[in-house]
DNA sequence: GGAATAACTTGATGATTATCAATCAAATGG
DNA sequence: CCATTTGATTGATAATCATCAAGTTATTCC
């Protein structure tokens, strides 16, 4: 295990796969990537993998480093971000149970994003070499990886289109309406991540996000802290102008570590 | 053949695959996607495919339509673009020999981008159903598709990082320096596409591109029409600040229809 | 619980970028 | 070849967005 090269990881608990609990194996098995693959393939991956618990605010991947592991978030929350000359932007936030940086592992190429824990997290690390061997030997696994990567690509295309075709206010409105739709059209929900991450993901400053959110009250959407309430759906929808080509539904975005988590539903009282 | 549904395609010459010339088959065969796949797989795809010649300015794909075909540009030039409420942005420009919209074909999902010819073009259409069947039956083909899609995803991640981490001027400088690097560090070259397309691809208006290009003369890069001359490499490099994580090299971008074409080299006299 | 930290908000200001309008240059099509 | 169209440039202006500098609220951690 070469984790300690990374410097700022301490207190880690790495263990052979025989210690990956069944509960976790079941969760991982349910991921699209592993669906219907041969049991022997899956077991060999589990056996080769490392299960580590990390505190909050630990950098587990630095962009540019060789992609030695496919990562799977089992507990907690991980931010994927990118940096350049001092600036930093959020590229995705990953919640359980999801893989991330599949593409780098498959291509045996350097990571294009960095990753840090936003909470105490439990991460399963599958060595990329084992992953590639498994993909080469199990054609169902190869098909799954192919489908997943095609989906990742399409999610990123959507994200790029959003950035280029909509301005700040439009991006926010569309995002909020998509969140509502993910909950079956719920009028109220809570934002899944801090606003600073949301702002960075959507390509704007926290200040502008704050102002824009406030201004949306006049268009049928009220925000109070983390809570969002769509007060005038018709009005808000006409503002947001959702379109299937920009706004999905996107079946892959959930599990593949390419966007933000789904919203948090209201408690039914 | 259902092409005529598309409305604005006329004068097309669709033909059975027995008429796809060997020269073209050889070019297609050389694409990474088809490398080392079984001859029977390749031949069945060629037999199922349509070879069409299209005039300039023909829309061959509309976003939202089902992805009935994988496209391969054999001659000419094709623009991939996206639209939303009246606005339109260039997502890629594809030159021979390259595939495009592989992800939609593989996923059997709607196209996320539209496509139109920028010149008189020759396009090979491979029915997506045949493509998926071939991928399912030929594991080498599946591996190639998987690798290609991983590369497409990574190219799009790079593009998104560029949009979010750099301002207009920085994006332009980095782009020009990348172009130079593609020609082995050539000081002079020509832009591969019209500036309006370049501007839109990089997420800015033609006016701003024009102004920024002019201003770069003071930083070591002179632009005259389509011609670019890096006059002070050291100075220009320190401005552009290329980084491997944003600027590649990106081995996939070439053949997969996810970015702009390479620059045009100077004639050696 | 209360201090300390971090996140969020708000206002003022400035930089960046888009839009509009006009001109100029280049390419296209009879 | 010339007329027409399309693309590129330039200047003036406006909109958008970022930055800076407070404040305020919320969270975290003894």
């Amino acid at each position: 295990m070469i984790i300690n090269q990374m410097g700022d990881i301490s207190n880690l608990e790495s263990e052979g796969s025989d210690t990956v609990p069944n509960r976790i194996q079941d969760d991982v098995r349910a991921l699209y990537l592993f669906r219907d693959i041969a049991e022997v393939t899956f077991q060999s991956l589990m056996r080769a993998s490392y299960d580590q618990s990390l505190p909050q605010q630990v950098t587990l991947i630095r962009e540019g480093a060789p992609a030695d592991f496919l990562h799977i978030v089992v507990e907690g929350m991980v931010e994927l971000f990118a940096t350049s000359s001092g600036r930093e932007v959020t590229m995705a936030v990953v919640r359980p149970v999801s893989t991330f940086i599949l593409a780098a592992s498959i291509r045996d190429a350097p990571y294009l994003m960095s990753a840090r824990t936003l909470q105490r997290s439990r991460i399963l690390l599958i060595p990329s070499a084992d992953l590639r061997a498994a993909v080469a030997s199990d054609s169902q696994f190869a098909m799954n990886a192919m489908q997943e990567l095609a989906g990742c690509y399409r999610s990123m295309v959507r994200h790029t289109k959003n950035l280029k075709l909509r301005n700040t206010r439009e991006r926010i409105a569309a995002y909020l309406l998509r969140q509502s739709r993910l909950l079956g059209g719920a009028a109220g929900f809570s934002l899944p991540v801090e606003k600073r991450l949301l702002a960075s993901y959507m390509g704007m400053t926290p200040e502008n996000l704050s102002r824009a959110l406030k201004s949306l009250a006049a268009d049928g959407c009220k925000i109070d802290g983390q809570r969002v309430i769509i007060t005038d759906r018709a009005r808000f929808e006409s503002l947001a102008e959702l379109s299937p080509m920009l706004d999905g539904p996107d079946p892959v975005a959930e599990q593949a570590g390419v966007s933000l988590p789904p919203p948090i539903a209201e408690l039914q009282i």
Side-chain angles (χ1 to χ4, degrees), chain A residues 59-252:
Chain A
T59 300
L60 47 153
I61 290 176
R62 275 183 217 289
E63 50 188 313
D68 294 321
F69 301 97
L70 173 69
H71 290 58
I72 304 176
V73 189
V74 174
E75 292 168 8
M77 180 149 62
V78 173
E79 177 190 8
L80 304 185
F81 62 101
T83 54
S84 176
S85 46
R87 278 160 281 191
E88 175 181 318
V89 292
T90 302
M91 297 293 288
V93 174
V94 192
R95 284 261 289 258
V97 178
S98 306
T99 63
F100 61 94
I101 44 101
L102 175 63
S105 291
I106 288 286
R107 282 195 75 86
D108 197 11
Y111 294 121
L112 291 181
M113 309 185 220
S114 302
R116 71 165 72 94
T117 55
L118 291 172
Q119 305 173 349
R120 194 164 56 76
S121 298
R122 183 169 190 171
I123 314 282
L124 212 61
L125 302 180
I126 300 180
S128 299
D130 294 278
L131 176 76
R132 287 191 296 272
V135 154
S137 71
D138 185 330
S139 64
Q140 180 62 52
F141 195 24
M143 293 295 280
N144 292 356
M146 182 185 72
Q147 289 291 334
E148 181 117 334
L149 288 164
C152 289
Y153 169 69
R154 286 169 59 87
S155 292
M156 196 54 72
V157 168
R158 282 207 165 90
H159 185 51
T160 305
K161 286 173 63 172
N162 242 298
L163 289 172
K164 289 174 73 173
L165 284 164
R166 287 175 165 148
N167 64 24
T168 294
R169 203 150 182 279
E170 293 168 332
R171 289 203 294 281
I172 296 169
Y175 170 78
L176 293 174
L177 214 44
R178 279 201 305 272
Q179 297 296 97
S180 164
R181 193 185 51 192
L182 282 175
L183 296 175
F189 55 90
S190 287
L191 297 174
V193 297
E194 289 177 352
K195 285 180 188 161
R196 69 187 175 90
L197 298 172
L198 187 54
S200 182
Y201 177 73
M202 294 200 290
M204 61 193 71
T205 59
E207 292 95 327
N208 270 330
L209 174 62
S210 186
R211 275 185 269 265
L213 283 176
K214 194 175 174 188
S215 79
L216 288 179
D219 293 289
C221 187
K222 183 118 184 34
I223 288 87
D224 179 45
Q226 298 264 108
R227 292 213 22 178
V228 179
I229 303 161
I230 296 174
T231 54
D232 183 343
R233 185 156 210 99
R235 185 169 173 66
F236 194 53
E237 276 178 350
S238 75
L239 173 77
E241 281 196 77
L242 287 201
S243 103
M245 291 309 97
L246 273 90
D247 304 295
D250 184 346
V252 172

Side-chain angles (χ1 to χ4, degrees), chain A residues 7-19:
Chain A
D8 40 11
I9 293 184
S10 52
N11 303 346
L12 59 88
E13 305 163 18
S14 300
E15 357 203 29
S17 93
D18 42 353
T19 62

Side-chain angles (χ1 to χ4, degrees), chain A residues 21-51:
Chain A
N22 282 339
R23 178 181 59 78
I24 289 181
Q25 291 203 20
D26 291 348
D27 289 346
V28 172
R29 194 74 157 103
L31 286 172
Y32 176 82
L33 185 61
F34 300 106
R35 194 161 300 166
D36 299 329
I37 71 173
E39 186 61 25
V40 57
T41 307
F42 185 72
Q43 283 307 327
S44 76
L45 288 175
M46 286 300 104
R47 223 171 307 119
S49 72
Y50 302 86
D51 176 11

